[in-house]
Amino acid sequence: MPTAKASKPAKKAAPASAKPDESAQKLSALIHRHLVSTLARHEGSATPHDWWVATALAVRDTIHERMIATQAVHNADNVRRLYYFSLEYLMGRLFGNNLLATDMLETARAALAAHGQDFEKIRDAEVDMGLGNGGLGRLAACFLDSLATMDYPALGYGIYYEFGLFRQQFVNGHQVEHPDNWIRFGNPWEVVRPEYAQEVRVYGRVENVFDDRGNYRPRWVDTKTILGVPHDIPTAGYGTKTVNLLRLWASQSTEDFDLAAFNRGGYFEAVREQTSAETVSKVLYPNDKTENGKELRLMQQYFFVACSLRDIIRRHLRNPANSWANFSGKVAVQLNDTHPAIAVVELMRILVDEENMSLEAAWGIVGQTFAYTNHTLLPEALEKWSVGLFEKVLPRHLQLIYEINSRVLHLVEAKWPGDDGKKRVCSLIEENGGKMVRMANLAVAGSHTVNGVAALHTALLKQDLFPEFDALYPGKFQNKTNGITPRRWLLKCNPRLSDLITKRLGHTDWARDLDLLRGLEKSAGDAAFQSEFMAVKRANKVELAAIIKAECGVEVSPDALFDVQIKRLHEYKRQHLNLLHILALYRRLLQHPGLDIVPRVFVFGAKAAPGYDLAKNIIRAINVIGARINGDARIGGKLKVVFLPNYRVSLAEKIIPAADLSEQISTAGKEASGTGNMKLSLNGALTIGTLDGANVEIKEEVGDENIFIFGLTVEQVAALWARGYNPRDLYNADEELRGVIDWLGSDYFTPGEHGAFGAVHHSLLHGGDPYLLLADFRSYCDAHARVDATYRDKRKWAKMAILNTARMGKFSSDRTIREYAEQIWKLKPARIS
Ligand SMILES: *Cc1c(COP(=O)(O)O)cnc(C)c1O
């Protein structure tokens, strides 16, 4: 057994390890060596990017030693491991994280200074690893951090996209997308492992063959083969030696793939097929929440899942102590949404077709291996694939889906004899019109546990989305409220606040046990501490103001209230409700020039899916109206509106520490959890929000008096739809609401360009206002009035902000992961000494 002393968390600045000068000199020499021998660079001509690579390589040496040691212990002890399957990982930058993990942050700062280099400038040279869209991908990244930090043996599996989420630019207020060629200059954090490449087959047909005893032995033939090459990214824990792996698959053509075509005499055909195999991992689909039946997307899902399962099986069976008999004893697979749900069928196929197991036995193993996390109730986000597409890409899997379905329908019949309605909703195949495979039903049937991501979401999952399955499989549904890693989202992104907390609590243990922040509660009313806390906030706002000036060309005052909404652009998240409120404030100021309001800076960050026209129209409206407001001398700078382009993890890390107010204003019942809400609150921003997702639990933690709640509840939303909702009634009844909507629909903000915001305007009035902006508008404005009044009382605001930080312990992803490990994965930590 590995023995380990309970490792102490890294100390900042304090020279716990070696003498700082000495270790900085060593690191400085190592950086120099990498610059010269690895990068072939002269110090004098090295760019910030070169310095970043050289420093990363120097840090990586330590990370790799730990990674090897970790894998050696896990293998020697034949530990049970968690395999996290996710199509997205929004890792952001790895530099700061790895420096914290190795306790080398201050050393690296000093080492770079010795070379005359500015640490922050070097840090900014790293391109974000943006292999995800939003919350779901960032959750996966936070989970990897917590898994390693708490010494859980785990691997993340996913796709090595050549192009991550697009880079966003604004041109005349419009969103313009550019490819994110993030690996153009190489990635010092990855290790390519061609020796562990896997072959995956697609297309072809099933031959009906019977063996010599008359057993049906289908053969999947005439397939095309794609090669998956693993790229390993180490994921280092904080305050511990554990370094786990994120293993991402890049697709390549196989040699026989090429040769067959060559032999048919077609050079171009060969090259074309080669590119089509390589296309599979080329680009991340940029739609958050919706994916619509694209063949390439199904190929991506199957490709990474098939590679990963083969890799798991290879690693499992290479230990002579292991066999299929203990497979599910050693292997726990978590499906991050239904994107990897085809894994259920692929494992069945391997067991039945390649290992000659009975369907019964195979289904038994499958059902002990997988667990599934549902991330959304939005109907448009529930994945479905046409049976025709399945037949073309994965014909054998389609057969097995029918096998699985007959088992499910058998259970339904046993529970509700003769009830065809129940069979219709539980079936893996949807029969309305063209037949579709329902991936959510497949994931539920093939998993031992299904979880929602916040208490409210899980309740709605059981009540509204899967009531039949909840009855069919009692106890299968659980809640696991999301969390965020306090390392990235406080320790690393907000060093000023981290230092203040450490000073007040007298230790840094809080970064590994976030509940310890409760120790700040007793200082919440302390005037001296309040002013220190708000001085940190102000310094962070000064820094953000400089970024705003550089990115948007707008001057903002750090004394204004920074009102922040940062998240994917989506109707249900209601950035346009925020816009309606901004218009209302602007209109009040124009009509009453002396009006006394707290000056505000509205900060937006959001990418819209490239094909989501209404979302892009909202972006344009915010940009154009914002520019008009920013340039209007009549309002004396009381309002500023800035939309920071290219929202991503590294930008979030700069905005969040500077936020006063956090906008979490989704229509009740639509946001499964949210995690941005947690990051902002942890950094001392107060929330203005609806009773949706994890906001409900944030309110429970911080207390009703430390949050601004408004709007309809889930029950009230349901009742409103039931009795019939007409936004026109509200429009007619509320003069201010009517005024701002008419204004938005006019060409006041776009002289000479008629109907510029027609899509937004239309959805609110004629489109039936599906996200109930008009219904919540007045209550939202009232909540903002309470914000305004509260902000004037500096001490009260400070106290509320401190209590928000102090009470966020629950939302550490360490807590989330511990719950998954204990209640779903049955996973134990393995200490690395
Ligand atoms: C946390 C995070 C999200 C999720 O934000 P929500 O407000 O929960 O939607 C999306 N994108 C990035 C870059 C994040 O860091």
Side-chain angles (χ1 to χ4, degrees):
M1 280 298 284
T3 53
K5 306 156 271 173
S7 27
K8 270 272 167 74
K11 291 248 161 49
K12 291 182 66 83
S17 22
K19 283 178 234 150
D21 301 353
E22 197 183 304
S23 47
Q25 273 168 23
K26 270 196 192 158
L27 185 64
S28 160
L30 198 53
I31 292 170
H32 178 82
R33 187 172 68 67
H34 277 297
L35 199 63
V36 173
S37 61
T38 315
L39 301 178
R41 272 288 184 201
H42 184 263
E43 274 213 18
S45 68
T47 62
H49 184 267
D50 294 327
W51 284 108
W52 165 68
V53 175
T55 314
L57 291 172
V59 174
R60 193 181 75 166
D61 290 349
T62 306
I63 301 267
H64 279 181
E65 283 164 23
R66 291 186 186 183
M67 179 168 78
I68 291 165
T70 303
Q71 298 312 310
V73 170
H74 291 176
N75 290 336
D77 295 349
N78 196 17
V79 295
R80 176 171 169 82
R81 283 185 175 93
L82 177 268
Y83 299 95
Y84 199 76
F85 280 23
S86 179
L87 217 59
E88 302 189 12
Y89 291 91
L90 204 51
M91 301 293 282
R93 293 174 178 155
L94 304 183
F95 193 57
N97 205 63
N98 288 341
L99 287 172
L100 278 174
T102 50
D103 195 9
M104 283 163 81
L105 186 63
E106 294 311 318
T107 315
R109 198 186 296 276
L112 283 167
H115 289 287
Q117 297 300 317
D118 173 44
F119 180 78
E120 292 305 325
K121 203 164 135 199
I122 304 308
R123 186 208 283 264
D124 265 344
E126 179 169 3
V127 181
D128 277 40
M129 197 174 166
L131 309 186
N133 274 289
L136 176 146
R138 182 56 229 174
L139 184 76
C142 284
F143 280 3
L144 294 180
D145 186 80
S146 286
L147 283 162
T149 296
M150 296 196 294
D151 299 310
Y152 285 114
L155 258 98
Y157 278 112
I159 294 181
Y160 188 80
Y161 299 107
E162 195 177 323
F163 296 93
L165 186 60
F166 64 86
R167 192 164 47 80
Q168 178 195 54
Q169 196 197 7
F170 296 135
V171 175
N172 189 19
H174 293 278
Q175 167 174 297
V176 176
E177 302 94 21
H178 299 280
D180 164 47
N181 196 349
W182 69 287
I183 36 178
R184 188 170 35 178
F185 298 112
N187 174 15
W189 304 119
E190 77 193 22
V191 184
V192 191
R193 304 268 192 207
E195 68 274 28
Y196 298 136
Q198 293 290 348
E199 291 192 349
V200 168
R201 298 186 300 150
V202 288
Y203 300 125
R205 63 197 165 81
V206 180
E207 254 182 12
N208 295 315
V209 181
F210 290 81
D211 69 11
D212 51 9
R213 294 200 211 132
N215 294 311
Y216 179 48
R217 291 279 173 221
R219 289 196 348 176
W220 185 18
V221 297
D222 292 344
T223 51
K224 298 262 183 204
T225 306
I226 304 168
L227 199 65
V229 180
H231 290 56
D232 290 351
I233 318 277
T235 62
Y238 170 77
T240 177
K241 296 261 168 71
T242 296
V243 176
N244 285 327
L245 284 185
L246 170 59
R247 178 158 282 181
L248 302 176
W249 301 96
S251 65
Q252 277 186 13
S253 57
T254 54
E255 278 174 40
D256 69 322
F257 208 97
D258 308 337
L259 268 181
F262 264 121
N263 294 343
R264 285 196 301 274
Y267 168 78
F268 282 101
E269 194 177 327
V271 175
R272 193 174 55 74
E273 290 201 351
Q274 193 169 335
T275 35
S276 73
E278 279 162 14
T279 298
V280 173
S281 63
K282 184 70 78 180
V283 58
L284 168 78
Y285 274 87
N287 294 318
D288 192 51
K289 315 272 178 202
T290 50
E291 253 345 304
N292 29 21
K294 296 281 186 332
E295 178 172 331
L296 183 61
R297 171 79 171 186
L298 179 60
M299 294 267 275
Q300 288 187 335
Q301 297 184 344
Y302 178 65
F303 162 73
F304 109 81
V305 148
C307 287
S308 307
L309 281 174
R310 292 207 163 272
D311 197 50
I312 291 169
I313 294 165
R314 173 185 67 77
R315 293 159 54 102
H316 178 71
L317 294 180
R318 92 185 152 187
N319 183 334
N322 290 340
S323 67
W324 285 111
N326 72 345
F327 183 77
S328 55
K330 297 293 182 185
V331 174
V333 178
Q334 188 68 33
L335 306 173
N336 196 21
D337 214 317
T338 57
H339 313 152
I342 189 64
V344 166
V345 192
E346 173 65 1
L347 184 57
M348 278 291 275
R349 190 193 65 78
I350 292 171
L351 296 176
V352 173
D353 291 2
E354 298 181 11
E355 303 294 328
N356 290 317
M357 269 182 217
S358 69
L359 283 162
E360 233 44 71
W363 189 234
I365 291 179
V366 165
Q368 291 176 322
T369 302
F370 294 102
Y372 151 57
T373 304
N374 173 282
H375 282 273
T376 177
L377 307 168
L378 300 180
E380 68 270 28
L382 294 176
E383 285 195 303
K384 287 170 197 166
W385 299 101
S386 82
V387 164
L389 183 59
F390 251 102
E391 213 148 47
K392 177 179 172 198
V393 179
L394 299 169
R396 175 59 183 142
H397 295 75
L398 184 61
Q399 287 185 332
L400 289 166
I401 287 170
Y402 283 118
E403 286 288 348
I404 295 169
N405 198 33
S406 78
R407 263 148 242 277
V408 171
L409 296 182
H410 199 77
L411 279 183
V412 176
E413 173 61 25
K415 183 156 183 82
W416 298 288
D419 190 336
D420 288 344
K422 291 275 191 295
K423 289 200 190 79
R424 230 182 346 265
V425 290
C426 292
S427 175
L428 307 199
I429 309 292
E430 189 175 280
E431 307 263 7
N432 311 328
K435 285 194 186 184
M436 307 287 272
V437 180
R438 295 166 167 157
M439 300 307 275
N441 292 27
L442 171 64
V444 172
S447 298
H448 54 79
T449 309
V450 178
N451 76 282
V453 290
L456 175 64
H457 168 63
T458 303
L460 296 175
L461 200 60
K462 294 207 266 185
Q463 262 168 53
D464 298 346
L465 191 62
F466 293 134
E468 294 80 11
F469 282 125
D470 188 34
L472 200 59
Y473 305 112
K476 189 181 270 209
F477 290 80
Q478 293 189 15
N479 177 245
K480 294 287 164 283
T481 298
N482 281 168
I484 55 167
T485 167
R487 273 71 65 183
R488 180 169 301 257
W489 298 114
L490 180 51
L491 185 62
K492 170 176 168 323
C493 77
N494 198 342
R496 289 189 184 91
L497 185 54
S498 295
D499 286 347
L500 180 63
I501 291 169
T502 299
K503 194 169 64 137
R504 177 64 42 154
L505 297 180
H507 59 74
T508 55
D509 298 351
W510 57 267
R512 281 172 57 90
D513 181 357
L514 204 61
D515 288 325
L516 295 176
L517 292 184
R518 286 269 176 186
L520 297 173
E521 278 187 1
K522 59 177 183 288
S523 305
D526 175 319
F529 186 67
Q530 288 174 353
S531 55
E532 283 187 281
F533 193 92
M534 295 317 286
V536 163
K537 184 61 81 184
R538 192 173 190 286
N540 292 337
K541 286 163 76 173
V542 169
E543 261 181 34
L544 182 60
I547 293 169
I548 289 170
K549 176 74 185 155
E551 295 280 328
C552 310
V554 178
E555 298 269 3
V556 301
S557 163
D559 296 313
L561 189 164
F562 280 24
D563 182 334
V564 169
Q565 189 171 20
I566 45 174
K567 48 186 72 253
R568 281 299 289 251
L569 205 306
H570 206 294
E571 286 168 274
Y572 85 81
K573 291 176 181 280
R574 300 199 293 190
Q575 280 92 351
H576 47 339
L577 177 59
N578 191 340
L579 179 62
L580 291 181
H581 172 247
I582 293 170
L583 281 169
L585 288 181
Y586 182 39
R587 189 166 173 270
R588 287 179 208 169
L589 283 169
L590 293 181
Q591 295 181 354
H592 311 280
L595 190 69
D596 178 24
I597 66 162
V598 168
R600 289 206 199 201
V601 178
F602 292 90
V603 179
F604 290 87
K607 287 177 182 173
Y612 190 171
D613 292 336
L614 179 47
K616 290 176 124 176
N617 195 232
I618 294 171
I619 290 182
R620 174 104 200 285
I622 295 171
N623 273 325
V624 169
I625 293 170
R628 174 69 73 93
I629 292 175
N630 296 338
D632 191 337
R634 295 176 293 174
I635 59 170
K638 284 178 187 159
L639 297 179
K640 297 278 171 177
V641 181
V642 293
F643 206 133
L644 285 161
N646 202 26
Y647 181 58
R648 62 199 186 282
V649 171
S650 61
L651 184 56
E653 289 177 50
K654 293 170 178 163
I655 299 171
I656 288 166
D660 291 308
L661 190 65
S662 162
E663 299 268 354
Q664 308 299 337
I665 60 177
S666 52
T667 317
K670 297 294 183 187
E671 186 77 87
S673 164
T675 50
N677 46 3
M678 303 167 186
K679 300 167 195 166
L680 284 152
S681 187
L682 179 61
N683 284 273
L686 305 190
T687 301
I688 182 167
T690 48
L691 286 175
D692 199 17
N695 294 354
V696 176
E697 290 158 80
I698 290 177
K699 170 175 166 287
E700 277 169 20
E701 293 298 303
V702 303
D704 296 0
E705 67 287 5
N706 296 307
I707 189 166
F708 302 95
I709 296 292
F710 73 94
L712 299 175
T713 62
V714 169
E715 292 76 19
Q716 290 166 336
V717 165
L720 179 53
W721 287 122
R723 72 170 182 268
Y725 173 59
N726 186 357
R728 283 243 162 225
D729 298 341
L730 292 154
Y731 170 85
N732 290 329
D734 186 326
E735 189 278 330
E736 184 171 56
L737 178 58
R738 189 165 64 250
V740 296
I741 289 181
D742 290 347
W743 211 10
L744 181 71
S746 74
D747 37 19
Y748 178 88
F749 295 101
T750 52
E753 184 188 347
H754 186 65
F757 313 135
V760 196
H761 183 256
H762 184 273
S763 85
L764 298 180
L765 276 190
H766 313 281
D769 187 19
Y771 296 94
L772 301 173
L773 281 77
L774 277 69
D776 276 346
F777 174 78
R778 188 46 56 196
S779 160
Y780 180 56
C781 289
D782 291 347
H784 268 302
R786 298 200 297 277
V787 169
D788 181 291
T790 310
Y791 195 75
R792 292 164 193 265
D793 183 345
K794 293 293 165 212
R795 290 206 51 188
K796 183 171 182 200
W797 187 278
K799 182 177 178 191
M800 290 169 74
I802 293 165
L803 288 175
N804 267 260
T805 299
R807 295 175 176 174
M808 277 304 105
K810 172 175 176 183
F811 303 103
S812 167
S813 47
D814 297 348
R815 186 270 312 152
T816 313
I817 285 296
R818 193 175 302 111
E819 288 180 6
Y820 275 95
E822 290 171 0
Q823 296 160 21
I824 300 182
W825 304 328
K826 317 290 181 212
L827 196 65
K828 289 197 177 59
R831 291 285 192 168
I832 311 300
S833 49

